[in-house]
PDB file of all heavy atoms in Angstrom:
ATOM      1  N   HIS I 345      -1.390   3.143 -75.429  1.00 94.00           N
ATOM      2  CA  HIS I 345      -1.537   3.447 -74.005  1.00 94.00           C
ATOM      3  C   HIS I 345      -1.592   2.128 -73.247  1.00 94.00           C
ATOM      4  O   HIS I 345      -2.669   1.683 -72.845  1.00 94.00           O
ATOM      5  CB  HIS I 345      -2.814   4.254 -73.762  1.00 94.00           C
ATOM      6  CG  HIS I 345      -2.904   5.493 -74.593  1.00 94.00           C
ATOM      7  ND1 HIS I 345      -2.121   6.599 -74.359  1.00 94.00           N
ATOM      8  CD2 HIS I 345      -3.654   5.799 -75.675  1.00 94.00           C
ATOM      9  CE1 HIS I 345      -2.410   7.539 -75.254  1.00 94.00           C
ATOM     10  NE2 HIS I 345      -3.333   7.079 -76.074  1.00 94.00           N
ATOM     11  N   LYS I 359       3.009 -11.498 -81.344  1.00 95.00           N
ATOM     12  CA  LYS I 359       4.316 -12.143 -81.513  1.00 95.00           C
ATOM     13  C   LYS I 359       4.319 -13.250 -82.564  1.00 95.00           C
ATOM     14  O   LYS I 359       5.213 -13.278 -83.421  1.00 95.00           O
ATOM     15  CB  LYS I 359       4.808 -12.695 -80.166  1.00 95.00           C
ATOM     16  CG  LYS I 359       6.227 -13.247 -80.243  1.00 95.00           C
ATOM     17  CD  LYS I 359       6.911 -13.237 -78.893  1.00 95.00           C
ATOM     18  CE  LYS I 359       8.382 -13.594 -79.049  1.00 95.00           C
ATOM     19  NZ  LYS I 359       9.209 -12.966 -77.998  1.00 95.00           N
ATOM     20  N   ASN I 362       4.250 -11.785 -85.997  1.00 95.00           N
ATOM     21  CA  ASN I 362       5.436 -10.978 -86.263  1.00 95.00           C
ATOM     22  C   ASN I 362       6.663 -11.843 -86.529  1.00 95.00           C
ATOM     23  O   ASN I 362       7.427 -11.582 -87.465  1.00 95.00           O
ATOM     24  CB  ASN I 362       5.670 -10.066 -85.061  1.00 95.00           C
ATOM     25  CG  ASN I 362       6.591  -8.924 -85.394  1.00 95.00           C
ATOM     26  OD1 ASN I 362       7.775  -9.027 -85.160  1.00 95.00           O
ATOM     27  ND2 ASN I 362       6.038  -7.857 -85.957  1.00 95.00           N
ATOM     28  N   LYS I 376      20.726 -11.457 -94.587  1.00 97.00           N
ATOM     29  CA  LYS I 376      20.350 -10.301 -93.767  1.00 97.00           C
ATOM     30  C   LYS I 376      20.333 -10.670 -92.283  1.00 97.00           C
ATOM     31  O   LYS I 376      20.193 -11.843 -91.913  1.00 97.00           O
ATOM     32  CB  LYS I 376      18.962  -9.801 -94.182  1.00 97.00           C
ATOM     33  CG  LYS I 376      18.841  -9.456 -95.671  1.00 97.00           C
ATOM     34  CD  LYS I 376      19.476  -8.144 -96.009  1.00 97.00           C
ATOM     35  CE  LYS I 376      19.633  -7.984 -97.520  1.00 97.00           C
ATOM     36  NZ  LYS I 376      18.358  -8.000 -98.237  1.00 97.00           N
ATOM     37  N   ASP I 386       8.211  -4.706 -89.648  1.00 98.00           N
ATOM     38  CA  ASP I 386       7.532  -3.588 -88.999  1.00 98.00           C
ATOM     39  C   ASP I 386       6.909  -2.625 -90.001  1.00 98.00           C
ATOM     40  O   ASP I 386       5.957  -1.908 -89.668  1.00 98.00           O
ATOM     41  CB  ASP I 386       8.521  -2.801 -88.118  1.00 98.00           C
ATOM     42  CG  ASP I 386       8.846  -3.536 -86.826  1.00 98.00           C
ATOM     43  OD1 ASP I 386       8.096  -4.454 -86.475  1.00 98.00           O
ATOM     44  OD2 ASP I 386       9.853  -3.185 -86.189  1.00 98.00           O
ATOM     45  N   MET I 387       7.457  -2.580 -91.213  1.00 98.00           N
ATOM     46  CA  MET I 387       6.924  -1.620 -92.187  1.00 98.00           C
ATOM     47  C   MET I 387       5.438  -1.838 -92.406  1.00 98.00           C
ATOM     48  O   MET I 387       4.667  -0.878 -92.552  1.00 98.00           O
ATOM     49  CB  MET I 387       7.658  -1.757 -93.519  1.00 98.00           C
ATOM     50  CG  MET I 387       9.115  -1.346 -93.456  1.00 98.00           C
ATOM     51  SD  MET I 387       9.768  -1.083 -95.099  1.00 98.00           S
ATOM     52  CE  MET I 387       8.869   0.376 -95.565  1.00 98.00           C
ATOM     53  N   TYR I 395      -2.135   4.948 -91.117  1.00 96.00           N
ATOM     54  CA  TYR I 395      -3.332   5.362 -91.853  1.00 96.00           C
ATOM     55  C   TYR I 395      -4.609   5.061 -91.076  1.00 96.00           C
ATOM     56  O   TYR I 395      -5.631   5.714 -91.256  1.00 96.00           O
ATOM     57  CB  TYR I 395      -3.363   4.702 -93.233  1.00 96.00           C
ATOM     58  CG  TYR I 395      -2.344   5.301 -94.158  1.00 96.00           C
ATOM     59  CD1 TYR I 395      -1.136   4.655 -94.432  1.00 96.00           C
ATOM     60  CD2 TYR I 395      -2.555   6.550 -94.734  1.00 96.00           C
ATOM     61  CE1 TYR I 395      -0.187   5.219 -95.265  1.00 96.00           C
ATOM     62  CE2 TYR I 395      -1.606   7.126 -95.572  1.00 96.00           C
ATOM     63  CZ  TYR I 395      -0.429   6.452 -95.826  1.00 96.00           C
ATOM     64  OH  TYR I 395       0.504   7.022 -96.639  1.00 96.00           O
ATOM     65  N   LEU I 405      -5.500  17.410 -93.921  1.00 97.00           N
ATOM     66  CA  LEU I 405      -4.277  17.817 -94.629  1.00 97.00           C
ATOM     67  C   LEU I 405      -4.469  17.831 -96.136  1.00 97.00           C
ATOM     68  O   LEU I 405      -3.996  18.733 -96.825  1.00 97.00           O
ATOM     69  CB  LEU I 405      -3.147  16.849 -94.246  1.00 97.00           C
ATOM     70  CG  LEU I 405      -1.765  17.083 -94.842  1.00 97.00           C
ATOM     71  CD1 LEU I 405      -1.224  18.445 -94.440  1.00 97.00           C
ATOM     72  CD2 LEU I 405      -0.807  15.990 -94.395  1.00 97.00           C
ATOM     73  N   ARG I 406      -5.202  16.843 -96.651  1.00 97.00           N
ATOM     74  CA  ARG I 406      -5.282  16.683 -98.108  1.00 97.00           C
ATOM     75  C   ARG I 406      -6.698  16.674 -98.643  1.00 97.00           C
ATOM     76  O   ARG I 406      -6.901  16.454 -99.843  1.00 97.00           O
ATOM     77  CB  ARG I 406      -4.592  15.370 -98.501  1.00 97.00           C
ATOM     78  CG  ARG I 406      -3.112  15.413 -98.231  1.00 97.00           C
ATOM     79  CD  ARG I 406      -2.499  14.051 -98.259  1.00 97.00           C
ATOM     80  NE  ARG I 406      -1.108  14.105 -97.823  1.00 97.00           N
ATOM     81  CZ  ARG I 406      -0.398  13.053 -97.458  1.00 97.00           C
ATOM     82  NH1 ARG I 406      -0.949  11.868 -97.478  1.00 97.00           N
ATOM     83  NH2 ARG I 406       0.852  13.191 -97.073  1.00 97.00           N
ATOM     84  N   SER I 426       7.595  -1.381-101.706  1.00 98.00           N
ATOM     85  CA  SER I 426       8.711  -1.122-100.820  1.00 98.00           C
ATOM     86  C   SER I 426       9.265  -2.411-100.231  1.00 98.00           C
ATOM     87  O   SER I 426      10.477  -2.651-100.244  1.00 98.00           O
ATOM     88  CB  SER I 426       8.224  -0.180 -99.714  1.00 98.00           C
ATOM     89  OG  SER I 426       9.170  -0.108 -98.690  1.00 98.00           O
ATOM     90  N   PHE I 441       5.617   0.366-112.075  1.00 75.00           N
ATOM     91  CA  PHE I 441       5.243   1.768-112.313  1.00 75.00           C
ATOM     92  C   PHE I 441       4.946   2.014-113.784  1.00 75.00           C
ATOM     93  O   PHE I 441       5.569   1.410-114.654  1.00 75.00           O
ATOM     94  CB  PHE I 441       6.374   2.689-111.851  1.00 75.00           C
ATOM     95  CG  PHE I 441       6.367   2.915-110.370  1.00 75.00           C
ATOM     96  CD1 PHE I 441       7.447   2.521-109.596  1.00 75.00           C
ATOM     97  CD2 PHE I 441       5.284   3.507-109.744  1.00 75.00           C
ATOM     98  CE1 PHE I 441       7.456   2.746-108.236  1.00 75.00           C
ATOM     99  CE2 PHE I 441       5.291   3.727-108.388  1.00 75.00           C
ATOM    100  CZ  PHE I 441       6.371   3.334-107.632  1.00 75.00           C
TER     101      PHE I 441
ATOM    102  N   HIS T 126      -5.455  11.951 -81.014  1.00 94.00           N
ATOM    103  CA  HIS T 126      -6.684  12.340 -80.319  1.00 94.00           C
ATOM    104  C   HIS T 126      -6.966  13.802 -80.638  1.00 94.00           C
ATOM    105  O   HIS T 126      -6.713  14.676 -79.808  1.00 94.00           O
ATOM    106  CB  HIS T 126      -6.536  12.131 -78.815  1.00 94.00           C
ATOM    107  CG  HIS T 126      -6.108  10.739 -78.441  1.00 94.00           C
ATOM    108  ND1 HIS T 126      -6.978   9.665 -78.536  1.00 94.00           N
ATOM    109  CD2 HIS T 126      -4.945  10.228 -77.999  1.00 94.00           C
ATOM    110  CE1 HIS T 126      -6.339   8.560 -78.152  1.00 94.00           C
ATOM    111  NE2 HIS T 126      -5.105   8.879 -77.819  1.00 94.00           N
ATOM    112  N   LYS T 140       1.538  20.764 -92.972  1.00 95.00           N
ATOM    113  CA  LYS T 140       1.294  20.861 -94.417  1.00 95.00           C
ATOM    114  C   LYS T 140       2.507  21.364 -95.209  1.00 95.00           C
ATOM    115  O   LYS T 140       2.849  20.780 -96.235  1.00 95.00           O
ATOM    116  CB  LYS T 140       0.076  21.758 -94.673  1.00 95.00           C
ATOM    117  CG  LYS T 140      -0.315  21.795 -96.145  1.00 95.00           C
ATOM    118  CD  LYS T 140      -1.788  22.134 -96.316  1.00 95.00           C
ATOM    119  CE  LYS T 140      -2.211  21.949 -97.766  1.00 95.00           C
ATOM    120  NZ  LYS T 140      -3.638  21.641 -97.889  1.00 95.00           N
ATOM    121  N   ASN T 143       5.071  18.671 -95.487  1.00 95.00           N
ATOM    122  CA  ASN T 143       4.564  17.533 -96.225  1.00 95.00           C
ATOM    123  C   ASN T 143       4.508  17.815 -97.720  1.00 95.00           C
ATOM    124  O   ASN T 143       4.897  16.979 -98.544  1.00 95.00           O
ATOM    125  CB  ASN T 143       3.176  17.190 -95.685  1.00 95.00           C
ATOM    126  CG  ASN T 143       2.754  15.805 -96.065  1.00 95.00           C
ATOM    127  OD1 ASN T 143       2.076  15.627 -97.059  1.00 95.00           O
ATOM    128  ND2 ASN T 143       3.177  14.805 -95.291  1.00 95.00           N
ATOM    129  N   LYS T 157       5.176  10.068-111.929  1.00 97.00           N
ATOM    130  CA  LYS T 157       4.313   9.532-110.879  1.00 97.00           C
ATOM    131  C   LYS T 157       3.151  10.492-110.586  1.00 97.00           C
ATOM    132  O   LYS T 157       3.215  11.690-110.885  1.00 97.00           O
ATOM    133  CB  LYS T 157       5.138   9.307-109.596  1.00 97.00           C
ATOM    134  CG  LYS T 157       6.365   8.439-109.789  1.00 97.00           C
ATOM    135  CD  LYS T 157       6.015   6.970-109.883  1.00 97.00           C
ATOM    136  CE  LYS T 157       7.205   6.141-110.350  1.00 97.00           C
ATOM    137  NZ  LYS T 157       8.379   6.224-109.472  1.00 97.00           N
ATOM    138  N   ASP T 167       4.508   9.903 -96.888  1.00 98.00           N
ATOM    139  CA  ASP T 167       3.944   9.408 -95.631  1.00 98.00           C
ATOM    140  C   ASP T 167       4.806   8.338 -94.991  1.00 98.00           C
ATOM    141  O   ASP T 167       4.739   8.128 -93.770  1.00 98.00           O
ATOM    142  CB  ASP T 167       2.540   8.824 -95.875  1.00 98.00           C
ATOM    143  CG  ASP T 167       1.494   9.912 -96.089  1.00 98.00           C
ATOM    144  OD1 ASP T 167       1.777  11.070 -95.738  1.00 98.00           O
ATOM    145  OD2 ASP T 167       0.418   9.591 -96.612  1.00 98.00           O
ATOM    146  N   MET T 168       5.597   7.641 -95.782  1.00 98.00           N
ATOM    147  CA  MET T 168       6.394   6.547 -95.221  1.00 98.00           C
ATOM    148  C   MET T 168       7.300   7.057 -94.110  1.00 98.00           C
ATOM    149  O   MET T 168       7.493   6.387 -93.090  1.00 98.00           O
ATOM    150  CB  MET T 168       7.250   5.899 -96.306  1.00 98.00           C
ATOM    151  CG  MET T 168       6.454   5.162 -97.339  1.00 98.00           C
ATOM    152  SD  MET T 168       7.495   4.027 -98.272  1.00 98.00           S
ATOM    153  CE  MET T 168       7.862   2.821 -96.998  1.00 98.00           C
ATOM    154  N   TYR T 176       7.637   3.886 -84.372  1.00 96.00           N
ATOM    155  CA  TYR T 176       8.669   3.546 -83.395  1.00 96.00           C
ATOM    156  C   TYR T 176       8.663   4.498 -82.211  1.00 96.00           C
ATOM    157  O   TYR T 176       9.093   4.151 -81.113  1.00 96.00           O
ATOM    158  CB  TYR T 176      10.043   3.518 -84.068  1.00 96.00           C
ATOM    159  CG  TYR T 176      10.211   2.316 -84.955  1.00 96.00           C
ATOM    160  CD1 TYR T 176      10.091   2.426 -86.334  1.00 96.00           C
ATOM    161  CD2 TYR T 176      10.439   1.067 -84.408  1.00 96.00           C
ATOM    162  CE1 TYR T 176      10.212   1.316 -87.154  1.00 96.00           C
ATOM    163  CE2 TYR T 176      10.563  -0.048 -85.221  1.00 96.00           C
ATOM    164  CZ  TYR T 176      10.452   0.083 -86.586  1.00 96.00           C
ATOM    165  OH  TYR T 176      10.559  -1.019 -87.389  1.00 96.00           O
ATOM    166  N   LEU T 186       7.908  -7.126 -77.026  1.00 97.00           N
ATOM    167  CA  LEU T 186       7.859  -8.113 -78.112  1.00 97.00           C
ATOM    168  C   LEU T 186       9.228  -8.725 -78.398  1.00 97.00           C
ATOM    169  O   LEU T 186       9.350  -9.916 -78.644  1.00 97.00           O
ATOM    170  CB  LEU T 186       7.313  -7.429 -79.378  1.00 97.00           C
ATOM    171  CG  LEU T 186       7.133  -8.268 -80.638  1.00 97.00           C
ATOM    172  CD1 LEU T 186       6.163  -9.402 -80.390  1.00 97.00           C
ATOM    173  CD2 LEU T 186       6.646  -7.392 -81.789  1.00 97.00           C
ATOM    174  N   ARG T 187      10.265  -7.893 -78.350  1.00 96.00           N
ATOM    175  CA  ARG T 187      11.591  -8.363 -78.794  1.00 96.00           C
ATOM    176  C   ARG T 187      12.671  -8.190 -77.749  1.00 96.00           C
ATOM    177  O   ARG T 187      13.836  -8.454 -78.031  1.00 96.00           O
ATOM    178  CB  ARG T 187      11.988  -7.588 -80.053  1.00 96.00           C
ATOM    179  CG  ARG T 187      11.105  -7.921 -81.222  1.00 96.00           C
ATOM    180  CD  ARG T 187      11.232  -6.912 -82.329  1.00 96.00           C
ATOM    181  NE  ARG T 187      10.245  -7.177 -83.354  1.00 96.00           N
ATOM    182  CZ  ARG T 187       9.928  -6.316 -84.310  1.00 96.00           C
ATOM    183  NH1 ARG T 187      10.520  -5.140 -84.352  1.00 96.00           N
ATOM    184  NH2 ARG T 187       9.014  -6.632 -85.202  1.00 96.00           N
ATOM    185  N   SER T 207      14.180   2.094 -98.516  1.00 98.00           N
ATOM    186  CA  SER T 207      12.857   1.934 -99.095  1.00 98.00           C
ATOM    187  C   SER T 207      12.479   3.139 -99.951  1.00 98.00           C
ATOM    188  O   SER T 207      12.019   2.991-101.083  1.00 98.00           O
ATOM    189  CB  SER T 207      11.864   1.738 -97.954  1.00 98.00           C
ATOM    190  OG  SER T 207      10.559   1.836 -98.423  1.00 98.00           O
ATOM    191  N   PHE T 222      23.400  -3.279 -99.109  1.00 75.00           N
ATOM    192  CA  PHE T 222      23.382  -4.461 -98.240  1.00 75.00           C
ATOM    193  C   PHE T 222      24.714  -5.199 -98.311  1.00 75.00           C
ATOM    194  O   PHE T 222      25.353  -5.249 -99.361  1.00 75.00           O
ATOM    195  CB  PHE T 222      22.250  -5.395 -98.687  1.00 75.00           C
ATOM    196  CG  PHE T 222      20.911  -4.961 -98.166  1.00 75.00           C
ATOM    197  CD1 PHE T 222      19.889  -4.608 -99.040  1.00 75.00           C
ATOM    198  CD2 PHE T 222      20.673  -4.892 -96.795  1.00 75.00           C
ATOM    199  CE1 PHE T 222      18.665  -4.222 -98.562  1.00 75.00           C
ATOM    200  CE2 PHE T 222      19.449  -4.504 -96.317  1.00 75.00           C
ATOM    201  CZ  PHE T 222      18.448  -4.162 -97.203  1.00 75.00           C
TER     202      PHE T 222
END
Side-chain angles (χ1 to χ4, degrees):
Chain I
H345 306 288
K359 186 156 188 151
N362 197 265
K376 304 283 167 61
D386 285 343
M387 293 196 68
Y395 287 102
L405 181 60
R406 294 165 187 164
S426 168
F441 280 118
Chain T
H126 306 287
K140 185 155 189 153
N143 198 265
K157 305 283 169 60
D167 285 343
M168 292 197 69
Y176 287 102
L186 182 60
R187 293 164 187 166
S207 169
F222 279 118

